[in-house]
Amino acid sequence: MAKEVFSDWTEVIKTTTKPDKESGAVNPSIQMSSTFEQRDFDRFGKWDYARSGNPTRDVLEESIAKLEHGNRGFAFATGMAAISTALLTLNQGDHVILTKNVYGGTFRLVTEVLVKYGIDYTFVDLGNEEELRAAFQDNTKVVYIETPSNPTLQVTDIRLVVEIAHAHQALVFADNTFMTPVLQKPLDLGVDLVVHSATKFLAGHSDILAGLVVTKDEELGKQVYFLQNAMGATLGVSDSWLLLRGIKTLAVRMEKESANALELAEWLEQQPLVTKVNYPGLKNDDNYQVQAKQAKSGGAVLSFDIGSEDNVRQLIKEVKIPIFSVSLGAVESIISYPPKMSHAEMNPVERHERGITDGLIRYSVGLEDIEDLKADLQQAFDKIK
Ligand SMILES: *Cc1c(COP(=O)(O)O)cnc(C)c1O
């Protein structure tokens, strides 16, 4: 029978609502069992020990596999657990090329942990095709991308990187946290493995930590499954259930939050205090063309510059709606100050080179009324001037 394919708006509901066969309960049950009774030692049942798999996590793993148009999904305790497990498919002596705008935790993992096991790396500016081509070595096995990047929203041309990497027999791994599968499907663009910090948009409520991996190739899927079970950083059943709950509203949240972000970005461009707005959904943004051909919108995260650290300090004191914290992708708006938060460890020269200037604020736009969000920033700007 032909596999039925529905729109994402249907799949986020359909894949997360699995009536229980015995009771008819519409939601998957939270199976609080570490072990499963076996009837026969010659033939084990589908589940035996919960690290290897359990009914609640299975529903989540099938859901994310379907949403990303992959074959297998894997759920982990955090985004970093998912990323570590994915990168440990590499062997001693292998080399990985990464975008220099990679998430800080991934940078730390590669430069301080994986090196200890003989996995070598090169960071490149993926906006520079020549730099990428020059970085390949005989032992390059993976090109690791993250698009749009944090916090300057640089966009990587996914199809182009895939073409170059595959010509060098290297796989492409993509961190799809900022877009989620409802805005961007890297596997459809040729990527081999997708990772998520599901802590962000997929869960969507600043309530849990979680990570996901999706593969489409059977062999790669087997390797990830082996490592998930061997290393054991799996997601617990209660958090699996909460993540399923979050996914149900993913499509509606991403659409509304992206629309809010675009409107806020357009408004910010008009403000005298704002010297720069980074948002790939803006038609005049350098990244707009590439973003438009591979994603449905610019997403819900933007950043903007208001000139100085002092201005940022005052803004943070004056705003009444967004929460000031690290993290992003929640129903509530969240602002952060990358130079002193996510990118505090980077040396100032390099930070400035990457556009993470002293007046930069990252804004993860939530579901609040856009007029309220604008008015809130306006009153704060008025106090700075
Ligand atoms: C937060 C984040 C991670 C790490 O995820 P955790 O769930 O915090 O471990 C990885 N990549 C990106 C893009 C992130 O924003």
Side-chain angles (χ1 to χ4, degrees), residues 15-31:
T15 60
T16 56
T17 310
K18 283 267 145 89
D20 182 72
K21 287 203 179 70
E22 260 174 47
S23 68
V26 290
N27 286 305
S29 47
I30 300 175
Q31 291 282 359

Side-chain angles (χ1 to χ4, degrees), residues 66-202:
K66 196 138 196 201
L67 289 169
E68 285 284 8
H69 290 177
N71 286 330
R72 289 188 78 168
F74 306 92
F76 297 88
T78 65
M80 283 320 303
I83 293 167
S84 310
T85 306
L87 285 173
L88 278 167
T89 56
L90 291 166
N91 294 311
Q92 185 177 24
D94 287 349
H95 173 248
V96 53
I97 297 171
L98 303 101
T99 166
K100 68 177 191 184
N101 291 317
V102 79
Y103 176 74
T106 309
F107 180 87
R108 179 170 54 204
L109 172 75
V110 169
T111 57
E112 295 187 49
V113 182
L114 296 186
V115 277
K116 294 200 299 182
Y117 303 96
I119 296 167
D120 196 11
Y121 58 85
T122 306
F123 288 95
V124 301
D125 173 1
L126 285 177
N128 182 338
E129 198 182 319
E130 289 320 303
E131 197 179 322
L132 170 60
R133 288 185 190 279
F136 282 91
Q137 306 177 1
D138 292 343
N139 58 345
T140 304
K141 296 289 163 60
V142 167
V143 178
Y144 187 99
I145 66 177
E146 192 178 309
T147 178
S149 71
N150 176 31
T152 53
L153 290 304
Q154 301 291 312
V155 175
T156 296
D157 187 333
I158 299 176
R159 284 188 191 87
L160 180 65
V161 172
V162 164
E163 191 191 308
I164 296 170
H166 286 176
H168 286 87
Q169 277 78 50
L171 301 178
V172 179
F173 291 4
D175 184 331
N176 202 27
T177 300
F178 271 46
M179 287 287 101
T180 84
V182 304
L183 296 184
Q184 175 172 279
K185 293 199 196 304
L187 298 179
D188 284 353
L189 304 169
V191 163
D192 302 283
L193 180 149
V194 166
V195 296
H196 280 285
S197 170
T199 308
K200 317 291 168 51
F201 290 103
L202 285 159

